Amino acid sequence: MEITEYSKKSKEYETSLLTAKKKSDGIYYTDVDLSLKIIKFLNIPINASILDPCCGTGNFIISAKCLGYNNLYGSDIDKGAVDFCKKNSGVSNIHIVDSLSNSGDIVLKKIGLREKVDFVIGNPPYVPISKDITINTFDYLFLRNVKDSGSNLFIAAIYRAFELVKVGGGISYIIPKNFLHVSAYSILRRFLLREKRIRSIIDLGAYFKNVRGEQIVLTLANEYSPNNNIEFFSYRQGEFVANTLVPQNFFSDEILLFSNVYDFKIYKKLKSSYKKLGDICTGYVGRGKSKSPNAIAGKNIRKFSFKNVPVPSNGNKIFIQNIYSAEAGIIASFAGNMEASETVTVFTDGDEKMCRYVLGVLHSRLCNYYLMRFCFNGSKLTMHADAKYLKKIPLIINTGTFTKVISIVKLLENISYMCNEWYEAVEDLNNIIYETYNITIEERKYIDTQVRLIQSEKWNYDK
Ligand SMILES: C[S@@+](CC[C@H](N)C(=O)[O-])C[C@H]1O[C@@H](n2cnc3c(N)ncnc32)[C@H](O)[C@@H]1O
């Protein structure tokens, strides 16, 4: 069958599945356009054996066949998908196998393979393990590893892939992007960083429209190489675009998606030169808890003031809108001793001076760039300005600029919201923060451009 016809029929099969089954088994097939691109990108030797252990209707298999590969294998738990793939792809080595519950040895045997394969590819299911979604094995150590590494079927699939692939062989999986930074996945991430070679990471953005979050293509080699560089790519206008190379040993846990060498250079400079906000400000940072009808809600906050109440002069709290969008950046105000509801992130510190200084830093272009790129890992989705992210922001107190920042913040609290003078004051604030953090002119230009590309016109201070 011709590949476009195959793709159409595969979509029809996917649509025919019940929504509940799709969700419980994580059935969202990769379109052949993307699977073709991934296989071309991987540049696998033409005689290599390739296995997709959760192959669904076989979009990766048919793409590989189309590109001239013929040593192809697939398995899936869904009989309908396996039948479809066998019938329409002309590849016979496709079997109904639970490749997550069974160990690699058993899966290989069931597929009729005597040895491990050269390459494992695919898009495993992303489903949290629960009382309804289980992995049926008595292998206590395997289950424990999966549980400790985030308890999700895609985590099980990565562990199983190492049981299926030869030493030195490759694994390339589409997985959720938050694998790179969410702490629940830390154990597997650290295992990969310390014991395997991470060849490349492609940032796909929110590619799968019906799947929550964003996705990456993670490509690994089943070996360790001490001087490995990870290659970072993004997906733009249908192409994989090379961004930068970062030594694997630069990362000890979280993996940040650097867009280019500038990002990497600025990150290193800020991270190595300054302490984090969480190390300096040790007061409460977390959601508001008040149920009072007078409590301030996130939507009542605007940059440096409130929509419905005046900014207090004394106290020790900042209120930050908990919903963070890259288009608007941080929206926060000095809040004195007021109460906040749960749509607000409350920051408390010793006194009003420190609060106003931090408020100035939070609104700066530098801080929003840092948050977007390095705390939210370049996500374009709506995020939460939660304590765990805010605490990572580098904080420097420079006696020369501390009082200047505070007086600009006070000015912004007292003049008309978004008048010309207001925009000018925000721009002054940006410049002082750049100066405080020793950001060079070249770096400023880069950060300004990057933030303007993402922020809405409304916040473009050069009016
Ligand atoms: C996200 S879909 C991707 C399918 C295919 N690799 C693709 O990219 O189009 C995940 C697939 O995993 C299969 N699956 C779920 N649990 C499985 C298991 N325990 N063993 C084998 N396959 C499984 C589902 O049936 C589904 O076909």
Side-chain angles (χ1 to χ4, degrees):
M1 187 185 289
E2 211 241 317
I3 193 156
T4 41
E5 179 63 13
Y6 192 98
S7 161
K8 202 174 128 219
K9 282 197 174 306
S10 162
K11 279 201 186 96
E12 282 167 13
Y13 177 78
E14 185 178 348
T15 317
S16 76
L17 296 171
L18 294 175
T19 314
K21 180 179 167 64
K22 276 172 72 73
K23 281 202 171 149
S24 68
D25 289 4
I27 307 178
Y28 296 94
Y29 299 141
T30 312
D31 59 76
V32 289
D33 183 51
L34 182 60
S35 50
L36 274 169
K37 281 194 180 109
I38 293 175
I39 294 173
K40 275 188 204 155
F41 167 86
L42 293 172
N43 213 0
I44 304 171
I46 203 72
N47 294 322
S49 49
I50 304 177
L51 164 66
D52 181 347
C54 299
C55 68
T57 45
N59 289 347
F60 272 96
I61 307 252
I62 193 75
S63 303
K65 191 178 170 200
C66 232
L67 293 168
Y69 295 94
N70 51 29
N71 203 356
L72 300 170
Y73 303 85
S75 61
D76 201 281
I77 200 166
D78 176 10
K79 180 177 180 307
V82 167
D83 289 347
F84 176 100
C85 182
K86 254 187 178 160
K87 182 172 149 215
N88 298 311
S89 68
V91 176
S92 56
N93 302 317
I94 313 291
H95 298 265
I96 306 164
V97 182
D98 179 341
S99 61
L100 304 181
S101 298
N102 288 292
S103 69
D105 288 352
I106 295 176
V107 173
L108 293 169
K109 216 180 259 169
K110 290 193 178 201
I111 295 175
L113 277 158
R114 289 223 181 89
E115 54 172 19
K116 294 185 177 189
V117 294
D118 297 308
F119 231 98
V120 171
I121 51 170
N123 179 5
Y126 322 153
V127 185
I129 294 170
S130 61
K131 69 178 186 353
D132 301 320
I133 306 294
T134 51
I135 295 178
N136 301 314
T137 173
F138 294 110
D139 185 343
Y140 167 79
L141 284 179
F142 178 79
L143 286 176
R144 192 180 157 145
N145 270 341
V146 173
K147 186 166 171 263
D148 292 348
S149 310
S151 254
N152 194 300
L153 294 184
F154 84 86
I155 295 289
I158 298 176
Y159 278 118
R160 286 293 189 215
F162 286 108
E163 300 173 4
L164 297 165
V165 76
K166 287 176 187 163
V167 172
I171 298 166
S172 189
Y173 270 163
I174 303 176
I175 59 165
K177 176 165 156 183
N178 68 6
F179 172 71
L180 299 177
H181 51 267
V182 165
S183 56
Y185 302 130
S186 173
I187 290 186
L188 175 55
R189 208 162 48 223
R190 283 187 282 138
F191 165 71
L192 300 181
L193 284 167
R194 286 186 202 147
E195 296 184 36
K196 302 293 171 186
R197 180 157 72 87
I198 302 179
R199 283 175 42 177
S200 63
I201 299 174
I202 307 172
D203 184 355
L204 293 177
Y207 188 90
F208 293 83
K209 302 295 171 238
N210 297 320
V211 178
R212 257 181 67 190
E214 295 177 78
Q215 299 80 37
I216 53 166
V217 182
L218 176 68
T219 303
L220 308 164
N222 188 15
E223 64 191 0
Y224 180 68
S225 155
N227 300 318
N228 182 47
N229 286 313
I230 306 176
E231 285 188 87
F232 289 88
F233 293 80
S234 51
Y235 183 65
R236 272 181 248 149
Q237 284 151 2
E239 300 296 327
F240 298 148
V241 183
N243 288 338
T244 186
L245 282 180
V246 178
Q248 182 166 323
N249 60 17
F250 174 77
F251 301 107
S252 54
D253 184 352
E254 285 177 34
I255 302 175
L256 296 176
L257 290 167
F258 295 108
S259 311
N260 53 46
V261 279
Y262 268 112
D263 265 358
F264 185 42
K265 247 177 65 190
I266 298 172
Y267 176 76
K268 277 199 294 190
K269 176 168 164 175
L270 292 174
K271 191 159 184 276
S272 60
S273 315
Y274 308 117
K275 285 188 174 170
K276 291 185 198 145
L277 185 142
D279 299 330
I280 297 180
C281 302
T282 49
Y284 176 76
V285 186
R287 294 288 190 105
K289 294 189 176 121
S290 175
K291 300 272 185 261
S292 153
N294 297 328
I296 301 287
K299 62 177 189 311
N300 300 135
I301 309 171
R302 52 191 195 187
K303 292 183 188 245
F304 301 102
S305 56
F306 296 98
K307 287 181 190 159
N308 51 347
V309 288
V311 179
S313 33
N314 302 313
N316 68 349
K317 291 184 200 167
I318 300 173
F319 288 176
I320 304 158
Q321 224 176 64
N322 182 262
I323 293 289
Y324 178 95
S325 79
E327 293 95 58
I330 283 281
I331 297 180
S333 174
F334 179 67
N337 296 318
M338 292 194 290
E339 290 181 30
S341 73
E342 62 177 0
T343 53
V344 171
T345 303
V346 179
F347 167 95
T348 39
D349 201 69
D351 61 27
E352 151 226 320
K353 282 200 169 70
M354 189 62 163
C355 284
R356 285 201 162 91
Y357 177 74
V358 170
L359 189 62
V361 172
L362 288 177
H363 280 110
S364 69
R365 213 172 276 134
L366 176 65
C367 178
N368 281 283
Y369 160 79
Y370 195 92
L371 266 172
M372 277 182 322
R373 281 286 152 86
F374 311 130
C375 300
F376 299 138
N377 216 358
S379 173
K380 307 268 185 312
L381 303 174
T382 301
M383 304 296 290
H384 293 275
D386 282 331
K388 62 181 174 194
Y389 301 115
L390 298 176
K391 284 183 175 180
K392 288 184 192 170
I393 293 169
L395 192 66
I396 171 176
I397 316 283
N398 171 327
T399 41
T401 54
F402 187 72
T403 47
K404 282 191 204 163
V405 171
I406 295 170
S407 56
I408 296 180
V409 168
K410 281 192 171 164
L411 174 71
L412 283 157
E413 288 171 357
N414 290 309
I415 56 178
S416 296
Y417 184 57
M418 293 177 89
C419 67
N420 284 349
E421 198 189 344
W422 187 92
Y423 280 106
E424 280 162 23
V426 172
E427 207 45 51
D428 288 346
L429 182 73
N430 278 324
N431 291 332
I432 292 183
I433 299 294
Y434 278 143
E435 192 189 316
T436 309
Y437 283 78
N438 295 312
I439 299 297
T440 65
I441 299 289
E442 214 186 11
E443 289 164 346
R444 286 180 197 200
K445 278 192 192 145
Y446 171 73
I447 296 169
D448 285 351
T449 319
Q450 295 302 304
V451 176
R452 285 200 179 110
L453 279 176
I454 297 164
Q455 269 193 349
S456 81
E457 268 288 297
K458 186 176 166 186
W459 304 115
N460 190 345
Y461 303 128
D462 288 348
K463 292 209 165 190

